[in-house]
Amino acid sequence: MTRRQTIEALSGLMLVLFVAMLSVTVVATALPRIIGALQGTQSQYTWVVTAALLASTVSTPIWGKLADLYNKKFLLQISILIFTVGSLAAGFAQNTEWLIGARVLQGLGMGALQILVQIVIATLISPRERGR
């Protein structure tokens, strides 16, 4: 790849990772109001926060192993799709149970994005070039 293509690919990867991390920040800030609008309980509030984090943590090593076995680009595209579907489902949630389920789906996509972005960067840039 040329330097320009590498920079374009890195920009796209960083943008994907930024959006995934931004969703955590936005939801954490707005969650008290969201739970209030959905008439949720304190326990459900805790599960909304924990669901995405737990799903992300559990799925990260699985996605890493899948990246060893299958096409990394395809897995990255699938993870973007999973994260997007989870985000849309969370946005259309009508109750807290639905929101918790959507956050689990979002967490699965987020765990995949975290590890796959790093794997793809490692694939794109040789170890000698990474220091620069």
Side-chain angles (χ1 to χ4, degrees), residues 31 34-35 37-39 48 85-103 106:
L31 197 54
I34 293 169
I35 293 297
L38 296 175
Q39 288 136 11
V48 171
V85 168
S87 297
L88 285 171
F92 288 115
Q94 299 297 313
N95 55 42
T96 50
E97 290 82 12
W98 184 357
L99 180 60
I100 292 168
R103 291 288 290 168
Q106 211 176 13

Side-chain angles (χ1 to χ4, degrees), residues 20-99:
M21 296 302 113
L22 186 65
S23 75
V24 174
T25 306
V26 169
V27 170
T29 304
L31 197 54
R33 192 171 267 272
I34 293 169
I35 293 297
L38 296 175
Q39 288 136 11
T41 64
Q42 183 66 32
S43 174
Q44 290 170 328
Y45 177 91
T46 305
W47 272 108
V48 171
V49 173
T50 306
L53 182 61
L54 188 61
S56 174
T57 304
V58 169
S59 69
T60 298
I62 296 168
W63 285 102
K65 182 62 178 174
L66 288 173
D68 290 340
L69 301 173
Y70 300 107
N71 186 353
K72 295 162 187 58
K73 180 180 176 183
F74 179 70
L75 287 174
L76 184 63
Q77 291 169 340
I78 293 294
S79 66
I80 292 170
L81 181 68
I82 291 170
F83 180 77
T84 304
V85 168
S87 297
L88 285 171
F92 288 115
Q94 299 297 313
N95 55 42
T96 50
E97 290 82 12
W98 184 357
L99 180 60

